[in-house]
mmCIF file of all heavy atoms in Angstrom:
data_model
loop_
_atom_site.group_PDB
_atom_site.id
_atom_site.type_symbol
_atom_site.label_atom_id
_atom_site.label_comp_id
_atom_site.label_asym_id
_atom_site.label_seq_id
_atom_site.Cartn_x
_atom_site.Cartn_y
_atom_site.Cartn_z
ATOM 1 N N ASN U 1 -3.980 -3.069 7.443
ATOM 2 C CA ASN U 1 -2.807 -2.218 7.614
ATOM 3 C C ASN U 1 -3.253 -0.927 8.284
ATOM 4 O O ASN U 1 -4.088 -0.201 7.756
ATOM 5 C CB ASN U 1 -2.158 -1.922 6.259
ATOM 6 C CG ASN U 1 -0.866 -1.138 6.408
ATOM 7 O OD1 ASN U 1 -0.878 0.030 6.794
ATOM 8 N ND2 ASN U 1 0.245 -1.778 6.104
ATOM 9 N N ILE U 2 -2.710 -0.660 9.463
ATOM 10 C CA ILE U 2 -3.074 0.543 10.211
ATOM 11 C C ILE U 2 -1.813 1.356 10.494
ATOM 12 O O ILE U 2 -0.913 0.891 11.212
ATOM 13 C CB ILE U 2 -3.802 0.188 11.527
ATOM 14 C CG1 ILE U 2 -5.106 -0.557 11.208
ATOM 15 C CG2 ILE U 2 -4.068 1.447 12.344
ATOM 16 C CD1 ILE U 2 -5.910 -0.938 12.415
ATOM 17 N N ASN U 3 -1.742 2.521 9.889
ATOM 18 C CA ASN U 3 -0.565 3.393 10.042
ATOM 19 C C ASN U 3 0.732 2.635 9.778
ATOM 20 O O ASN U 3 1.730 2.795 10.491
ATOM 21 C CB ASN U 3 -0.543 4.020 11.442
ATOM 22 C CG ASN U 3 -1.542 5.145 11.589
ATOM 23 O OD1 ASN U 3 -1.911 5.790 10.618
ATOM 24 N ND2 ASN U 3 -1.995 5.373 12.813
ATOM 25 N N GLY U 4 0.702 1.780 8.745
ATOM 26 C CA GLY U 4 1.906 1.072 8.350
ATOM 27 C C GLY U 4 2.170 -0.222 9.082
ATOM 28 O O GLY U 4 3.146 -0.915 8.784
ATOM 29 N N MET U 5 1.310 -0.589 10.044
ATOM 30 C CA MET U 5 1.483 -1.837 10.792
ATOM 31 C C MET U 5 0.480 -2.876 10.322
ATOM 32 O O MET U 5 -0.679 -2.568 10.051
ATOM 33 C CB MET U 5 1.294 -1.613 12.289
ATOM 34 C CG MET U 5 2.490 -1.020 12.965
ATOM 35 S SD MET U 5 2.362 -1.095 14.751
ATOM 36 C CE MET U 5 4.009 -0.529 15.180
ATOM 37 N N SER U 6 0.939 -4.120 10.251
ATOM 38 C CA SER U 6 0.067 -5.229 9.880
ATOM 39 C C SER U 6 -0.671 -5.716 11.126
ATOM 40 O O SER U 6 -0.051 -6.022 12.147
ATOM 41 C CB SER U 6 0.893 -6.366 9.277
ATOM 42 O OG SER U 6 0.059 -7.445 8.921
ATOM 43 N N ILE U 7 -1.990 -5.776 11.035
ATOM 44 C CA ILE U 7 -2.835 -6.162 12.169
ATOM 45 C C ILE U 7 -3.767 -7.279 11.716
ATOM 46 O O ILE U 7 -4.339 -7.217 10.637
ATOM 47 C CB ILE U 7 -3.676 -4.959 12.665
ATOM 48 C CG1 ILE U 7 -2.764 -3.807 13.102
ATOM 49 C CG2 ILE U 7 -4.623 -5.378 13.785
ATOM 50 C CD1 ILE U 7 -1.863 -4.111 14.275
ATOM 51 N N ARG U 8 -3.938 -8.301 12.545
ATOM 52 C CA ARG U 8 -4.880 -9.345 12.168
ATOM 53 C C ARG U 8 -6.259 -9.038 12.745
ATOM 54 O O ARG U 8 -6.401 -8.550 13.865
ATOM 55 C CB ARG U 8 -4.386 -10.726 12.588
ATOM 56 C CG ARG U 8 -4.664 -11.157 14.008
ATOM 57 C CD ARG U 8 -4.224 -12.612 14.196
ATOM 58 N NE ARG U 8 -4.488 -13.087 15.541
ATOM 59 C CZ ARG U 8 -4.067 -14.267 15.997
ATOM 60 N NH1 ARG U 8 -3.364 -15.069 15.206
ATOM 61 N NH2 ARG U 8 -4.345 -14.649 17.231
ATOM 62 N N VAL U 9 -7.264 -9.337 11.950
ATOM 63 C CA VAL U 9 -8.667 -9.129 12.340
ATOM 64 C C VAL U 9 -9.280 -10.504 12.552
ATOM 65 O O VAL U 9 -9.417 -11.294 11.623
ATOM 66 C CB VAL U 9 -9.443 -8.363 11.254
ATOM 67 C CG1 VAL U 9 -10.895 -8.179 11.670
ATOM 68 C CG2 VAL U 9 -8.779 -7.014 10.980
ATOM 69 N N SER U 10 -9.648 -10.803 13.786
ATOM 70 C CA SER U 10 -10.269 -12.073 14.129
ATOM 71 C C SER U 10 -11.771 -11.856 14.307
ATOM 72 O O SER U 10 -12.236 -10.714 14.360
ATOM 73 C CB SER U 10 -9.652 -12.619 15.418
ATOM 74 O OG SER U 10 -9.940 -11.767 16.506
ATOM 75 N N PRO U 11 -12.562 -12.918 14.433
ATOM 76 C CA PRO U 11 -14.008 -12.725 14.614
ATOM 77 C C PRO U 11 -14.364 -12.020 15.917
ATOM 78 O O PRO U 11 -15.454 -11.468 16.051
ATOM 79 C CB PRO U 11 -14.568 -14.152 14.583
ATOM 80 C CG PRO U 11 -13.425 -15.040 14.843
ATOM 81 C CD PRO U 11 -12.216 -14.341 14.299
ATOM 82 N N TYR U 12 -13.458 -12.016 16.888
ATOM 83 C CA TYR U 12 -13.737 -11.415 18.184
ATOM 84 C C TYR U 12 -12.981 -10.112 18.413
ATOM 85 O O TYR U 12 -13.070 -9.512 19.465
ATOM 86 C CB TYR U 12 -13.407 -12.405 19.312
ATOM 87 C CG TYR U 12 -12.137 -13.190 19.085
ATOM 88 C CD1 TYR U 12 -10.885 -12.633 19.304
ATOM 89 C CD2 TYR U 12 -12.196 -14.498 18.630
ATOM 90 C CE1 TYR U 12 -9.728 -13.350 19.071
ATOM 91 C CE2 TYR U 12 -11.039 -15.239 18.401
ATOM 92 C CZ TYR U 12 -9.813 -14.658 18.628
ATOM 93 O OH TYR U 12 -8.663 -15.374 18.390
ATOM 94 N N SER U 13 -12.207 -9.639 17.437
ATOM 95 C CA SER U 13 -11.424 -8.413 17.611
ATOM 96 C C SER U 13 -12.332 -7.188 17.723
ATOM 97 O O SER U 13 -13.328 -7.079 17.010
ATOM 98 C CB SER U 13 -10.486 -8.191 16.424
ATOM 99 O OG SER U 13 -9.562 -9.226 16.286
ATOM 100 N N PHE U 14 -11.927 -6.249 18.580
ATOM 101 C CA PHE U 14 -12.545 -4.918 18.538
ATOM 102 C C PHE U 14 -11.853 -4.110 17.460
ATOM 103 O O PHE U 14 -10.625 -4.162 17.305
ATOM 104 C CB PHE U 14 -12.387 -4.187 19.871
ATOM 105 C CG PHE U 14 -12.715 -2.715 19.768
ATOM 106 C CD1 PHE U 14 -14.027 -2.286 19.773
ATOM 107 C CD2 PHE U 14 -11.698 -1.777 19.608
ATOM 108 C CE1 PHE U 14 -14.325 -0.932 19.643
ATOM 109 C CE2 PHE U 14 -11.992 -0.422 19.487
ATOM 110 C CZ PHE U 14 -13.315 -0.006 19.503
ATOM 111 N N SER U 15 -12.624 -3.362 16.700
ATOM 112 C CA SER U 15 -12.031 -2.401 15.768
ATOM 113 C C SER U 15 -12.967 -1.213 15.637
ATOM 114 O O SER U 15 -14.192 -1.370 15.695
ATOM 115 C CB SER U 15 -11.780 -3.036 14.393
ATOM 116 O OG SER U 15 -12.989 -3.481 13.816
ATOM 117 N N TYR U 16 -12.394 -0.031 15.513
ATOM 118 C CA TYR U 16 -13.213 1.145 15.233
ATOM 119 C C TYR U 16 -13.838 0.984 13.856
ATOM 120 O O TYR U 16 -13.185 0.513 12.916
ATOM 121 C CB TYR U 16 -12.365 2.408 15.298
ATOM 122 C CG TYR U 16 -11.928 2.789 16.689
ATOM 123 C CD1 TYR U 16 -10.607 2.609 17.103
ATOM 124 C CD2 TYR U 16 -12.827 3.323 17.597
ATOM 125 C CE1 TYR U 16 -10.199 2.947 18.380
ATOM 126 C CE2 TYR U 16 -12.433 3.672 18.887
ATOM 127 C CZ TYR U 16 -11.117 3.486 19.269
ATOM 128 O OH TYR U 16 -10.729 3.820 20.548
ATOM 129 N N VAL U 17 -15.110 1.386 13.723
ATOM 130 C CA VAL U 17 -15.826 1.123 12.473
ATOM 131 C C VAL U 17 -15.336 1.985 11.316
ATOM 132 O O VAL U 17 -15.621 1.687 10.160
ATOM 133 C CB VAL U 17 -17.353 1.316 12.637
ATOM 134 C CG1 VAL U 17 -17.913 0.355 13.664
ATOM 135 C CG2 VAL U 17 -17.691 2.757 12.999
ATOM 136 N N ASN U 18 -14.603 3.055 11.621
ATOM 137 C CA ASN U 18 -14.119 3.966 10.589
ATOM 138 C C ASN U 18 -12.582 3.925 10.616
ATOM 139 O O ASN U 18 -11.936 4.623 11.390
ATOM 140 C CB ASN U 18 -14.629 5.385 10.867
ATOM 141 C CG ASN U 18 -14.369 6.350 9.735
ATOM 142 O OD1 ASN U 18 -13.471 6.162 8.928
ATOM 143 N ND2 ASN U 18 -15.162 7.409 9.683
ATOM 144 N N LYS U 19 -11.991 3.079 9.769
ATOM 145 C CA LYS U 19 -10.552 2.826 9.829
ATOM 146 C C LYS U 19 -9.725 4.088 9.588
ATOM 147 O O LYS U 19 -8.711 4.326 10.250
ATOM 148 C CB LYS U 19 -10.196 1.735 8.821
ATOM 149 C CG LYS U 19 -8.730 1.323 8.874
ATOM 150 C CD LYS U 19 -8.003 1.669 7.603
ATOM 151 C CE LYS U 19 -6.555 1.233 7.656
ATOM 152 N NZ LYS U 19 -5.860 1.461 6.388
ATOM 153 N N LYS U 20 -10.150 4.921 8.633
ATOM 154 C CA LYS U 20 -9.386 6.135 8.327
ATOM 155 C C LYS U 20 -9.296 7.057 9.538
ATOM 156 O O LYS U 20 -8.254 7.667 9.804
ATOM 157 C CB LYS U 20 -10.029 6.877 7.154
ATOM 158 C CG LYS U 20 -10.009 6.130 5.829
ATOM 159 C CD LYS U 20 -8.606 5.958 5.297
ATOM 160 C CE LYS U 20 -8.606 5.310 3.930
ATOM 161 N NZ LYS U 20 -7.235 5.009 3.455
ATOM 162 N N VAL U 21 -10.381 7.156 10.289
ATOM 163 C CA VAL U 21 -10.372 8.033 11.464
ATOM 164 C C VAL U 21 -9.713 7.333 12.647
ATOM 165 O O VAL U 21 -9.129 7.984 13.510
ATOM 166 C CB VAL U 21 -11.805 8.490 11.805
ATOM 167 C CG1 VAL U 21 -11.803 9.448 12.980
ATOM 168 C CG2 VAL U 21 -12.434 9.172 10.593
ATOM 169 N N ALA U 22 -9.777 6.001 12.688
ATOM 170 C CA ALA U 22 -9.063 5.271 13.735
ATOM 171 C C ALA U 22 -7.566 5.581 13.659
ATOM 172 O O ALA U 22 -6.907 5.763 14.684
ATOM 173 C CB ALA U 22 -9.304 3.777 13.588
ATOM 174 N N GLU U 23 -7.040 5.672 12.445
ATOM 175 C CA GLU U 23 -5.627 6.015 12.293
ATOM 176 C C GLU U 23 -5.349 7.414 12.836
ATOM 177 O O GLU U 23 -4.296 7.653 13.454
ATOM 178 C CB GLU U 23 -5.226 5.920 10.825
ATOM 179 C CG GLU U 23 -5.224 4.493 10.298
ATOM 180 C CD GLU U 23 -4.789 4.390 8.842
ATOM 181 O OE1 GLU U 23 -5.233 5.232 8.031
ATOM 182 O OE2 GLU U 23 -4.019 3.472 8.518
ATOM 183 N N VAL U 24 -6.292 8.331 12.633
ATOM 184 C CA VAL U 24 -6.155 9.682 13.188
ATOM 185 C C VAL U 24 -6.144 9.615 14.706
ATOM 186 O O VAL U 24 -5.322 10.252 15.379
ATOM 187 C CB VAL U 24 -7.292 10.593 12.695
ATOM 188 C CG1 VAL U 24 -7.258 11.941 13.406
ATOM 189 C CG2 VAL U 24 -7.214 10.786 11.178
#
């Protein structure tokens, strides 16, 4: 859940390593 949105995480997805700051 990112800023209230449901997001799927796949084995190949990019994601920022710090979720709290990614929301910022």
